Amino acid sequence: MEQGLQARVVEAAELNAAERARWNALRAAEPVLGGPYFDLRYIEAAAACAPGSRIAVLERGGRIVGFLPFQRRGSSIQPLGAPMSDFHGLIAEPEVCLPAVLALLGAERMRVSGLVSPQPLAELSVRYAMAADLTGGFEAYQATRSSAFLKDKRRRARALERDHGEMVFTFERPALDLLAWLVAQKRAQIRRTHQHDIFACGWTIELLNRLAESDAEDFGLRLAVLRAGGTIVAAELGLTAGDRHHLWFPIYDPAFARYSPGALMTLETLRAAAERGIARVDFGPSEEAYKEDFAVPMEPVLEGTVAMRPSLMTHLRGAPGADRIDEVGKRLARRLDRIAACEPGLMGQVKGGASFVTGLGRRHPAVGAGIGVGIGLGLSLGLLAD
């Protein structure tokens, strides 16, 4: 355990003025913490909704050296707001170590998917935050992109207007009815792709509604909507804080797929963001290939499980076939973690796991059966909340 480090666990609403000022100072001192998920206004909104949410106030010698926002799931903890918080981590002085904090909190493990950390952790995989740099304005940004890609999108935009009417783009705070519409569309997409419905638990929708209530000029939800002839062909909900905007929940109408409506909407979002003084638009961790069309790798982010004792894969590392087992295990862990984040109770987790296996089994019967065994094992070993 790190020498002299102590943790005091409080509700987010209990942070006093001095603690809030210290949070903001620590965040301002580290540029990689500039994204919306580290903004106290997001943390407070998430803490008011997410079950088991807490803030660890980290002190050494009576001086605050950091904070860790988290939500507890049995013997495990997760980033506060998971699975909604694409980026997460300590808001702390550089020498504060995450495993030491977990030990102080009595946690057996912490599962992360977009950990922003100044310190490498050997057990975690490295990805990169993908972002579009708009500091020079939209025209300067365009100059860094593939001319063939941009030419193709201009051609598709002309075809969309020719076939369906004038193309109109808006980028504003979402009205609650439009927000509800987008969530309904996203849930339909989730069902089609057999993902776990992160909105079925209720508190995730409550979080979006709370964020929609913010009237701060430099913080809150922004909804990009692309219409053709009055019909919505693509939309994306994002979160703005300061001069950063994070793309969050996109949807598009499959009937318009030939026009690349998602790409057209993203380009218009970047244009509008640059006009409003946004310096960086985040696309989340490197994962989907399409992000490379719009963004470049920035700082590393980490994914995996920070465990207080060695995992099975630690012992298997280097063995024949271990890499393949590890990759399958990571995919399963992401699913289990998402279910546990949304459903803190065991019954909700069991239902979520059963729904996932049913959907997967319809597409891949043999794989679905194997994953079902894995989920059962995960429950018995406490990989989900216990």
Side-chain angles (χ1 to χ4, degrees), residues 70-363:
F70 69 93
Q71 57 195 35
R72 189 172 288 279
R73 298 290 183 265
S75 60
S76 302
I77 67 172
Q78 299 176 324
L80 178 59
M84 304 288 275
S85 304
D86 289 352
F87 294 125
H88 37 261
L90 288 162
I91 297 89
E93 295 180 352
E95 67 275 8
V96 178
C97 178
L98 182 58
V101 176
L102 299 187
L104 287 170
L105 296 175
E108 292 186 4
R109 66 186 70 84
M110 181 177 186
R111 170 83 190 161
V112 296
S113 57
L115 179 67
V116 176
S117 172
Q119 302 169 344
L121 294 169
E123 65 269 36
L124 302 184
S125 302
V126 177
R127 298 189 290 170
Y128 290 88
M130 300 295 289
D133 181 1
L134 301 178
T135 52
F138 184 69
E139 295 305 320
Y141 160 78
Q142 279 193 305
T144 69
R145 300 293 89 200
S146 162
S147 57
F149 171 77
L150 295 175
K151 182 178 179 180
D152 175 70
K153 297 304 168 282
R154 287 192 292 268
R155 178 181 64 79
R156 291 176 188 267
R158 290 193 298 270
L160 178 61
E161 289 200 315
R162 180 192 65 227
D163 298 341
H164 297 281
E166 182 184 7
M167 194 172 76
V168 176
F169 175 79
T170 56
F171 184 64
E172 305 294 342
R173 299 178 188 277
L176 288 181
D177 60 340
L178 198 53
L179 179 59
W181 171 86
L182 181 132
V183 170
Q185 296 299 310
K186 194 66 182 177
R187 295 185 71 179
Q189 180 189 70
I190 287 169
R191 288 193 295 272
R192 288 196 303 270
T193 55
H194 304 288
Q195 305 293 312
H196 179 67
D197 185 355
I198 63 172
F199 296 113
C201 59
W203 72 260
T204 47
I205 294 178
E206 182 187 351
L207 171 57
L208 294 183
N209 288 335
R210 281 181 176 270
L211 293 170
E213 291 172 357
S214 172
D215 59 0
E217 284 295 322
D218 66 338
F219 178 79
L221 296 179
R222 303 291 184 271
L223 182 61
V225 180
L226 183 69
R227 292 177 171 86
T231 299
I232 296 177
V233 298
E236 181 158 18
L237 189 68
L239 182 62
T240 291
D243 65 353
R244 293 271 288 270
H245 180 73
H246 188 99
L247 302 176
W248 211 0
F249 294 110
I251 60 103
Y252 75 93
D253 188 336
F256 293 84
R258 63 187 292 259
Y259 305 102
S260 297
L264 298 181
M265 173 188 64
T266 300
L267 286 171
E268 291 303 316
T269 300
L270 294 170
R271 184 194 306 275
E275 289 173 353
R276 300 185 187 195
I278 297 294
R280 168 170 162 166
V281 172
D282 289 307
F283 286 71
S286 53
E287 204 165 59
E288 299 90 350
Y290 83 89
K291 294 178 182 179
E292 297 177 3
D293 290 330
F294 303 96
V296 296
M298 298 289 198
E299 63 274 358
V301 294
L302 307 178
E303 180 190 18
T305 302
V306 182
M308 302 315 293
R309 58 174 179 264
S311 67
L312 175 62
M313 284 312 304
T314 301
H315 297 295
L316 290 177
R317 192 163 291 150
D323 288 347
R324 177 59 181 159
I325 295 172
D326 191 29
E327 181 56 34
V328 172
K330 285 176 182 176
R331 292 181 183 179
L332 177 57
R334 290 184 194 125
R335 298 298 183 96
L336 296 178
D337 186 61
R338 180 163 288 200
I339 294 169
C342 297
E343 308 286 353
L346 180 60
M347 288 307 299
Q349 293 170 16
V350 171
K351 289 179 181 178
S355 176
F356 164 55
V357 172
T358 299
L360 187 63
R362 287 171 182 160
R363 292 181 297 164

